Amino acid sequence: MRFSRPLVPVVAAAALAMVSLTACGGGSSSGSGGGGGKLDVFLASQPNYPTQFQQWSSDVKAKFKAATGADLTIETFSSAADETTKIQASVVSGNGPDVYQLGTTFTPVAYGTKAFHTLTDADWQKVGGKDQYMPESLGMSGPDSSTQIGIPVAIRPFGMVYNTEMFKAAGITSPPTTWDDLVAAGKKLTTGDQYGLAIGYADSYDPWKFIWSLTEQQGGSFVSKDLKTAQLNSPQVKTAVADYFGMLTKDKVVDPKSVGWKDADALTAFATGKAAVFPMATATSIPTLEKSSVKGKYAFAPLPDVPFGATSRPSGAPAAQTIVSGDNIAIASYTKNLDLALAYVKIVSSPEMQQKQYEYFGNLPSNQSAFQKVADSNPLLAPFIDAEKGATPTAFTGGWADIQNGLTNVVVQSLPSLQSGAVDGSATASLLEAANTKAQSSLTRAAR
């Protein structure tokens, strides 16, 4: 299940809700496990895997009923707007789903609302112990290791997937490790209607991640270390945006049609042999690739860790090949069904259900034993395993929504220029300045 999605600010709505939260009850009928009751879970729909989602839902409902005697209701949303509307309404009313499944970058925003349960040592024990989870997957569970609201249920480290036959034909013996080398390989691989890279510039989820990696690898950051100052107008961010666009406009290693592509379109281009590399890929692409014409002709690799125009990173700059990406479960503070919620978490965290989640959707397990079993069974996953161990967390601040959305909007506003084949640097700078102003306001509110 993929939940790394654009964010819509919820902090303002939550600020209005604090009084009502203290007075209102939970959303589901009461019950603490062992006989009756109901638990309401809210998570994303799976339009790409409808049959698998139906089976997963049936599996988890049956296990929940057997373990608790209670019924499980699964609500789904199909967009970030749907999700945010539900959270805002629930926070204001103190009534709604007991459990939310959130993307990792959304967790700090949810934490900032003060509307989600802070986990205790006893809570962690009830779900099977904190040590069952991949240590890196806990990096976005809360502001520190003792204050956490998110329980990791899936991980999705990013990498790139490349066509091994195309690489061999072009005389490229190993995956590039610098962005310059990736572009150089892309030029060798671009011929006729085949392009070196497939990138979804119109995607709602991933453009900002390219810019984040390129910024971090230069030694920059979207936010200051004290989380008080927005830095979207920094030289590093401006360079990162220019380099991201430049792969299409300057280097011409990306299909011009990609200006209108979502990531699904870019993956299709790769899966049909129209592109040699699909960067910002996750293991969730495997089910698609295994049914495509490139089955047996692809491999994964980490994304480059050296920025454009350099042979090494500046001192102290992280590799930043992937964010800490995946899904966290958060429990609403208004719930009357905390024990049922923890019982649900224990079930979906179990090695068996974690294994099924991988088989159905391609999400890597957050459970350590299930993760190792999956890794041992599929050598293709080795690069993702390495990427997860070196994953770099994004800033844990309630103001993150406007940071991520701000960068996404810069890309969206630049698409017409990108379509024409040239993006004016001064226009980009103005867009980044506006995004930075809005991000700064959010950081200031979050710090209060």
Side-chain angles (χ1 to χ4, degrees):
M1 300 174 202
R2 179 180 182 182
F3 294 86
S4 294
R5 50 194 173 268
L7 311 179
V8 183
V10 299
V11 176
L16 298 174
M18 290 303 104
V19 174
S20 63
L21 279 175
T22 62
C24 296
S28 304
S29 58
S30 62
S32 58
K38 184 182 74 171
L39 188 76
D40 191 357
V41 177
F42 190 58
L43 44 76
S45 60
Q46 292 296 309
N48 294 332
Y49 304 108
T51 302
Q52 294 92 327
F53 183 72
Q54 185 177 14
Q55 184 61 56
W56 179 88
S57 299
S58 177
D59 292 345
V60 73
K61 285 180 179 180
K63 287 185 175 296
F64 185 75
K65 184 73 171 179
T68 67
D71 295 320
L72 181 67
T73 299
I74 298 177
E75 295 185 64
T76 62
F77 58 88
S78 58
S79 70
D82 291 345
E83 177 197 18
T84 302
T85 298
K86 172 68 79 171
I87 293 177
Q88 288 177 329
S90 299
V91 167
V92 169
S93 67
N95 187 50
D98 302 284
V99 174
Y100 292 79
Q101 195 154 314
L102 310 169
T104 49
T105 60
F106 190 86
T107 305
V109 182
Y111 177 81
T113 69
K114 299 180 174 63
F116 290 87
H117 176 70
T118 299
L119 298 158
T120 66
D121 289 342
D123 294 334
W124 284 110
Q125 288 305 310
K126 288 181 180 179
V127 301
K130 188 186 291 189
D131 59 357
Q132 72 179 304
Y133 299 101
M134 295 287 291
E136 296 80 10
S137 69
L138 294 162
M140 293 296 288
S141 292
D144 55 63
S145 60
S146 61
T147 310
Q148 296 173 310
I149 66 165
I151 304 168
V153 69
I155 57 179
R156 277 185 304 278
F158 289 91
M160 62 182 178
V161 59
Y162 64 98
N163 188 304
T164 53
E165 284 194 352
M166 290 182 183
F167 267 49
K168 183 177 181 180
I172 303 170
T173 58
S174 60
T177 59
T178 75
W179 287 96
D180 283 341
D181 287 346
L182 178 59
V183 166
K187 289 179 178 179
K188 286 185 179 181
L189 294 159
T190 299
T191 176
D193 64 351
Q194 173 189 300
Y195 285 85
L197 277 63
I199 295 175
Y201 281 101
D203 192 71
S204 300
Y205 301 104
D206 289 345
W208 73 266
K209 298 185 184 84
F210 282 94
I211 299 168
W212 173 85
S213 288
L214 292 169
T215 297
E216 292 279 334
Q217 289 170 4
Q218 294 176 73
S221 181
F222 289 173
V223 188
S224 62
K225 289 184 178 180
D226 62 6
L227 305 180
K228 294 181 179 179
T229 306
Q231 299 177 156
L232 300 185
N233 58 354
S234 69
Q236 293 93 339
V237 175
K238 292 176 182 177
T239 298
V241 173
D243 288 337
Y244 175 57
F245 290 151
M247 288 186 281
L248 173 62
T249 61
K250 177 171 66 73
D251 303 313
K252 303 187 185 304
V253 296
V254 185
D255 191 331
K257 293 193 292 291
S258 67
V259 174
W261 284 357
K262 304 293 187 181
D263 264 16
D265 303 309
L267 178 59
T268 297
F270 177 83
T272 54
K274 298 295 185 181
V277 180
F278 174 48
M280 212 58 73
T282 69
T284 59
S285 62
I286 292 176
T288 297
L289 296 177
E290 284 299 291
K291 296 177 182 178
S292 75
S293 61
V294 301
K295 180 180 179 179
K297 305 174 185 177
Y298 69 90
F300 294 98
L303 283 163
D305 63 0
V306 176
F308 284 97
T311 56
S312 62
R313 296 191 305 276
S315 176
Q321 292 164 298
T322 180
I323 63 172
V324 175
S325 177
D327 302 330
N328 286 331
I329 289 177
I331 301 169
S333 58
Y334 55 68
T335 184
K336 295 177 180 177
N337 300 311
L338 178 59
D339 283 346
L340 287 179
L342 295 172
Y344 168 79
V345 174
K346 184 175 183 178
I347 290 167
V348 296
S349 296
S350 68
E352 178 187 357
M353 291 305 295
Q354 290 272 293
Q355 176 78 22
K356 286 187 175 182
Q357 181 180 245
Y358 168 71
E359 293 170 355
Y360 290 158
F361 312 116
N363 283 322
L364 295 178
S366 58
N367 178 286
Q368 293 203 61
S369 63
F371 184 94
Q372 193 59 54
K373 184 176 180 180
V374 167
D376 291 343
S377 69
N378 191 346
L380 278 173
L381 297 173
F384 291 120
I385 296 168
D386 292 339
E388 177 64 18
K389 292 176 180 178
T392 303
T394 49
F396 199 95
T397 169
W400 181 261
D402 280 330
I403 294 166
Q404 178 174 319
N405 283 344
L407 264 298
T408 300
N409 186 59
V410 168
V411 175
V412 169
Q413 294 298 316
S414 301
L415 291 180
S417 296
L418 198 61
Q419 181 73 60
S420 71
V423 178
D424 180 54
S426 61
T428 300
S430 296
L431 291 171
L432 287 171
E433 200 65 52
N436 196 70
T437 298
K438 190 171 183 179
Q440 184 59 59
S441 296
S442 291
L443 289 175
T444 300
R445 289 196 302 271
R448 289 174 184 164

